[in-house]
Every structure is written in C-alpha cells, then in structure tokens.
Amino acid sequence: MVTHGNRPTAGSSCVRLMAAALLLSLASAQGGVAGFNKVIALELPLLNTELQKAIPASYGNCQASTASGPAPNICQDTGDNLYSVHKPWVYKAEARWITGLNTASFSSIVLTNSSGTFDGVQGAGMFQDLPASIHIEQCATFDRCTKLWDNTHACCGQDKHFSFGVKLSCDPSTHQLVDMGLSTVTIDDFKIQENVINSLIILTI
C-alpha cells in the first residue's frame, strides 16, 4: 500500500504507547477497572486528538481521476477502487475512495468486568463526515454508457455513529493478557442519495 502525505512516525507511536502505560498505572493506583474508566473519561479529548493524527484522512484509489479532484491527504492507497461493477447494457458503478476517516472521535471507552475480572473493552464514537467519490453511468444500446453522476456528496453522510466491543482474557496467575478479539461492531446505515432526471434516488447500505 502507498500513502501520499506525511505518515505518523515511530517516535509518535512510542509516545502513545508510553501514555497508555501511564494511564494503566494511574488506573491501578486509583482502583482497577473503575479507576481506569475514570482516567479514560478524563483523557478522551487527548485520545481523540492522537487518533485523528494517527489515521489517514482518506482510503481507496487515491490516484483516481475524478470530477471532484483527488482524494484529500493523507490517503492510504489500495491500488484500485473500493467497489466496481459493470453490467453491460445496464450500468457502471465505481466507488473510488472514502474520506473523513480522521473525523472519527470516541464518545466513550470503558473496561468491562462482567465475569468479575477485567474481560473486555467497549467503545462508541462518531465520524463527523464521510464523503465518498462515486461515479455512476447508465449503459444502453451497444453498451454505450453516459454519466449519471460523479461526485462526493451522494454518499455517505454526516454524524455516523459506531460502537465496538473487544473481548479480552487474562491468565489468572500471571495477570497477563493471553487472548483478545473483536466481538461486536455496529455503524449507522450509509445512504446513497442523488437526483437523476428530476427523480430522487435513495439507496441504503
């Protein structure tokens, strides 16, 4: 994969790891899971700032030629469109890239101890804005295609909320992390909405 623009440095990653270790130490001093959750709640603004610095603004076919211009920097290039389909004599559709990934912010991150011990992380947040570069063509006789739209405002909307859960397990004797995995992910529906020949088309993904 190729990115254009500046990428986070190894030094900044180390700083974030040191900050996480410090938070865990503070949490232990303030009362385990409850203490950690209190510290995290206080540090969410800083965590969101670091998150937005660490992830790219855009993802997909960064070099694609579009009516809306190139994908905003920093863009992580996949080398191809995110989605592409051509049904001869019917239509062509391309989703080239999506941007606004760095508008993500957490509203909550909490440790859970449903089994009596620390066993997971639950989080929730929102993408402020997620424009996607989408190109649609209508194809008719002899598969000649004409553009219906090519823009970034038909998809995918603003204020898209998400939540996730991470399941964790620790060795009861060493108290070390031995297993982890994503247990749940949810995100608001994406809608593609555009006027075509004075008719409003709405697709929910």
Side-chain angles (χ1 to χ4, degrees), residues 8 16 43-57 101-107 109 124-127 162 164:
R16 286 191 290 275
E43 296 297 331
L44 267 182
L46 175 60
L47 291 175
N48 285 329
T49 297
E50 289 301 312
L51 171 69
Q52 291 167 1
K53 289 178 181 178
I55 61 178
L101 302 180
N102 60 345
T103 67
S105 62
F106 292 116
S107 56
I109 300 175
M126 180 184 73
F127 290 98
F162 63 86
F164 65 90

Short mmCIF file of all heavy atoms in Angstrom, two decimals, residues 8 16 43-57 101-107 109 124-127 162 164:
data_model
loop_
_atom_site.label_atom_id
_atom_site.label_comp_id
_atom_site.label_asym_id
_atom_site.label_seq_id
_atom_site.Cartn_x
_atom_site.Cartn_y
_atom_site.Cartn_z
N PRO A 8 2.42 9.07 10.39
CA PRO A 8 2.86 9.13 11.77
C PRO A 8 4.21 8.45 11.92
O PRO A 8 4.49 7.43 11.29
CB PRO A 8 1.75 8.37 12.51
CG PRO A 8 0.56 8.45 11.62
CD PRO A 8 1.11 8.45 10.23
N ARG A 16 2.64 7.45 22.26
CA ARG A 16 1.28 7.00 22.56
C ARG A 16 1.30 5.75 23.43
O ARG A 16 0.48 5.59 24.33
CB ARG A 16 0.51 6.75 21.26
CG ARG A 16 0.10 8.03 20.54
CD ARG A 16 -0.88 7.75 19.42
NE ARG A 16 -0.27 7.07 18.32
CZ ARG A 16 0.38 7.68 17.32
NH1 ARG A 16 0.50 8.99 17.34
NH2 ARG A 16 0.91 7.00 16.33
N GLU A 43 -9.37 11.66 29.85
CA GLU A 43 -8.36 11.79 28.79
C GLU A 43 -8.92 11.62 27.38
O GLU A 43 -8.17 11.65 26.41
CB GLU A 43 -7.25 10.76 29.01
CG GLU A 43 -6.46 10.96 30.28
CD GLU A 43 -5.70 12.27 30.30
OE1 GLU A 43 -5.33 12.75 29.21
OE2 GLU A 43 -5.51 12.83 31.39
N LEU A 44 -10.24 11.45 27.23
CA LEU A 44 -10.82 11.25 25.90
C LEU A 44 -10.48 12.36 24.91
O LEU A 44 -10.17 12.08 23.75
CB LEU A 44 -12.34 11.09 26.00
CG LEU A 44 -12.88 9.66 26.12
CD1 LEU A 44 -14.41 9.67 26.15
CD2 LEU A 44 -12.38 8.77 24.99
N PRO A 45 -10.50 13.63 25.29
CA PRO A 45 -10.14 14.67 24.32
C PRO A 45 -8.72 14.47 23.77
O PRO A 45 -8.49 14.63 22.57
CB PRO A 45 -10.25 15.97 25.13
CG PRO A 45 -11.28 15.65 26.18
CD PRO A 45 -11.02 14.23 26.55
N LEU A 46 -7.76 14.11 24.64
CA LEU A 46 -6.40 13.88 24.19
C LEU A 46 -6.33 12.64 23.30
O LEU A 46 -5.65 12.65 22.27
CB LEU A 46 -5.47 13.70 25.40
CG LEU A 46 -4.02 13.32 25.09
CD1 LEU A 46 -3.35 14.39 24.24
CD2 LEU A 46 -3.25 13.10 26.38
N LEU A 47 -7.03 11.59 23.69
CA LEU A 47 -7.04 10.37 22.89
C LEU A 47 -7.62 10.63 21.50
O LEU A 47 -7.11 10.13 20.50
CB LEU A 47 -7.84 9.28 23.59
CG LEU A 47 -7.23 8.70 24.87
CD1 LEU A 47 -8.20 7.72 25.52
CD2 LEU A 47 -5.92 8.00 24.58
N ASN A 48 -8.67 11.44 21.43
CA ASN A 48 -9.27 11.76 20.13
C ASN A 48 -8.31 12.56 19.26
O ASN A 48 -8.22 12.34 18.04
CB ASN A 48 -10.58 12.52 20.33
CG ASN A 48 -11.71 11.63 20.79
OD1 ASN A 48 -11.75 10.45 20.44
ND2 ASN A 48 -12.63 12.17 21.56
N THR A 49 -7.59 13.49 19.87
CA THR A 49 -6.59 14.26 19.12
C THR A 49 -5.52 13.35 18.55
O THR A 49 -5.14 13.47 17.36
CB THR A 49 -5.95 15.32 20.03
OG1 THR A 49 -6.95 16.24 20.48
CG2 THR A 49 -4.88 16.10 19.28
N GLU A 50 -5.04 12.41 19.34
CA GLU A 50 -4.00 11.49 18.89
C GLU A 50 -4.55 10.54 17.81
O GLU A 50 -3.85 10.21 16.85
CB GLU A 50 -3.45 10.68 20.07
CG GLU A 50 -2.61 11.50 21.03
CD GLU A 50 -1.40 12.12 20.35
OE1 GLU A 50 -0.69 11.41 19.62
OE2 GLU A 50 -1.19 13.33 20.52
N LEU A 51 -5.79 10.10 17.98
CA LEU A 51 -6.42 9.23 16.99
C LEU A 51 -6.48 9.92 15.64
O LEU A 51 -6.13 9.34 14.60
CB LEU A 51 -7.83 8.85 17.44
CG LEU A 51 -8.70 8.11 16.42
CD1 LEU A 51 -8.17 6.71 16.19
CD2 LEU A 51 -10.16 8.06 16.89
N GLN A 52 -6.91 11.17 15.63
CA GLN A 52 -7.07 11.89 14.37
C GLN A 52 -5.74 12.21 13.71
O GLN A 52 -5.67 12.37 12.49
CB GLN A 52 -7.88 13.17 14.63
CG GLN A 52 -9.33 12.86 14.98
CD GLN A 52 -10.10 14.03 15.54
OE1 GLN A 52 -9.56 15.13 15.67
NE2 GLN A 52 -11.35 13.81 15.91
N LYS A 53 -4.67 12.25 14.49
CA LYS A 53 -3.34 12.42 13.92
C LYS A 53 -2.82 11.12 13.32
O LYS A 53 -2.04 11.14 12.36
CB LYS A 53 -2.35 12.89 15.00
CG LYS A 53 -2.54 14.31 15.49
CD LYS A 53 -1.53 14.61 16.57
CE LYS A 53 -1.69 16.02 17.13
NZ LYS A 53 -0.74 16.28 18.23
N ALA A 54 -3.24 10.00 13.90
CA ALA A 54 -2.64 8.71 13.55
C ALA A 54 -3.26 8.06 12.32
O ALA A 54 -2.59 7.29 11.63
CB ALA A 54 -2.74 7.75 14.74
N ILE A 55 -4.53 8.32 12.03
CA ILE A 55 -5.18 7.63 10.92
C ILE A 55 -5.25 8.54 9.70
O ILE A 55 -5.28 9.77 9.82
CB ILE A 55 -6.60 7.15 11.31
CG1 ILE A 55 -7.50 8.32 11.68
CG2 ILE A 55 -6.54 6.14 12.43
CD1 ILE A 55 -8.91 7.90 12.02
N PRO A 56 -5.25 7.95 8.49
CA PRO A 56 -5.30 8.77 7.27
C PRO A 56 -6.67 9.43 7.10
O PRO A 56 -7.68 8.95 7.63
CB PRO A 56 -5.05 7.75 6.16
CG PRO A 56 -5.53 6.45 6.72
CD PRO A 56 -5.21 6.50 8.19
N ALA A 57 -6.68 10.52 6.35
CA ALA A 57 -7.96 11.18 6.05
C ALA A 57 -8.79 10.34 5.10
O ALA A 57 -10.01 10.27 5.22
CB ALA A 57 -7.71 12.56 5.46
N LEU A 101 -12.11 9.89 7.36
CA LEU A 101 -11.79 8.90 8.40
C LEU A 101 -11.19 9.57 9.63
O LEU A 101 -11.40 9.12 10.76
CB LEU A 101 -10.82 7.85 7.84
CG LEU A 101 -11.29 7.07 6.61
CD1 LEU A 101 -10.23 6.07 6.19
CD2 LEU A 101 -12.62 6.36 6.89
N ASN A 102 -10.45 10.65 9.41
CA ASN A 102 -9.82 11.34 10.53
C ASN A 102 -10.75 12.32 11.23
O ASN A 102 -10.31 13.12 12.06
CB ASN A 102 -8.55 12.07 10.06
CG ASN A 102 -8.82 13.11 8.99
OD1 ASN A 102 -9.89 13.13 8.38
ND2 ASN A 102 -7.85 13.97 8.74
N THR A 103 -12.05 12.24 10.92
CA THR A 103 -13.04 12.99 11.72
C THR A 103 -13.63 12.11 12.81
O THR A 103 -14.53 12.52 13.53
CB THR A 103 -14.19 13.53 10.84
OG1 THR A 103 -14.98 12.44 10.33
CG2 THR A 103 -13.65 14.35 9.68
N ALA A 104 -13.09 10.88 12.94
CA ALA A 104 -13.58 9.96 13.97
C ALA A 104 -13.21 10.47 15.36
O ALA A 104 -12.12 11.01 15.57
CB ALA A 104 -12.99 8.57 13.75
N SER A 105 -14.11 10.28 16.29
CA SER A 105 -13.82 10.60 17.69
C SER A 105 -14.62 9.66 18.59
O SER A 105 -15.72 9.23 18.24
CB SER A 105 -14.17 12.06 18.01
OG SER A 105 -15.57 12.29 17.82
N PHE A 106 -14.03 9.33 19.71
CA PHE A 106 -14.69 8.47 20.69
C PHE A 106 -15.53 9.31 21.64
O PHE A 106 -15.09 10.36 22.11
CB PHE A 106 -13.67 7.67 21.50
CG PHE A 106 -12.93 6.63 20.71
CD1 PHE A 106 -11.56 6.72 20.52
CD2 PHE A 106 -13.60 5.54 20.17
CE1 PHE A 106 -10.88 5.76 19.80
CE2 PHE A 106 -12.92 4.58 19.44
CZ PHE A 106 -11.56 4.69 19.26
N SER A 107 -16.73 8.83 21.94
CA SER A 107 -17.54 9.45 22.99
C SER A 107 -17.40 8.69 24.30
O SER A 107 -17.65 9.24 25.37
CB SER A 107 -19.01 9.50 22.57
OG SER A 107 -19.49 8.20 22.24
N ILE A 109 -15.03 5.10 26.10
CA ILE A 109 -14.25 3.87 26.10
C ILE A 109 -14.23 3.37 27.54
O ILE A 109 -13.82 4.12 28.44
CB ILE A 109 -12.80 4.10 25.63
CG1 ILE A 109 -12.75 4.65 24.20
CG2 ILE A 109 -12.00 2.80 25.71
CD1 ILE A 109 -11.35 5.00 23.73
N ALA A 124 -17.58 3.63 21.90
CA ALA A 124 -18.56 4.22 20.99
C ALA A 124 -18.01 5.56 20.51
O ALA A 124 -17.18 6.19 21.18
CB ALA A 124 -19.90 4.42 21.69
N GLY A 125 -18.45 5.96 19.33
CA GLY A 125 -17.98 7.22 18.79
C GLY A 125 -18.73 7.61 17.54
O GLY A 125 -19.82 7.08 17.25
N MET A 126 -18.12 8.51 16.76
CA MET A 126 -18.82 9.06 15.61
C MET A 126 -17.82 9.55 14.57
O MET A 126 -16.74 10.04 14.91
CB MET A 126 -19.69 10.23 16.05
CG MET A 126 -20.49 10.92 14.96
SD MET A 126 -21.38 12.36 15.59
CE MET A 126 -20.03 13.51 15.83
N PHE A 127 -18.17 9.35 13.30
CA PHE A 127 -17.47 10.02 12.20
C PHE A 127 -18.26 11.28 11.89
O PHE A 127 -19.46 11.22 11.59
CB PHE A 127 -17.42 9.14 10.96
CG PHE A 127 -16.51 7.94 11.09
CD1 PHE A 127 -17.04 6.70 11.41
CD2 PHE A 127 -15.15 8.06 10.89
CE1 PHE A 127 -16.22 5.59 11.52
CE2 PHE A 127 -14.32 6.95 11.00
CZ PHE A 127 -14.85 5.72 11.32
N PHE A 162 -20.80 4.83 15.63
CA PHE A 162 -20.32 3.45 15.64
C PHE A 162 -20.10 3.00 17.08
O PHE A 162 -19.98 3.82 18.00
CB PHE A 162 -19.01 3.31 14.86
CG PHE A 162 -17.85 4.10 15.42
CD1 PHE A 162 -17.04 3.58 16.43
CD2 PHE A 162 -17.57 5.37 14.93
CE1 PHE A 162 -15.99 4.31 16.95
CE2 PHE A 162 -16.51 6.12 15.45
CZ PHE A 162 -15.72 5.58 16.46
N PHE A 164 -18.23 -0.61 19.32
CA PHE A 164 -17.46 -1.84 19.19
C PHE A 164 -17.23 -2.46 20.56
O PHE A 164 -17.33 -1.79 21.60
CB PHE A 164 -16.09 -1.58 18.52
CG PHE A 164 -15.18 -0.70 19.33
CD1 PHE A 164 -14.29 -1.25 20.24
CD2 PHE A 164 -15.21 0.67 19.17
CE1 PHE A 164 -13.46 -0.44 21.00
CE2 PHE A 164 -14.38 1.49 19.92
CZ PHE A 164 -13.50 0.94 20.84
#
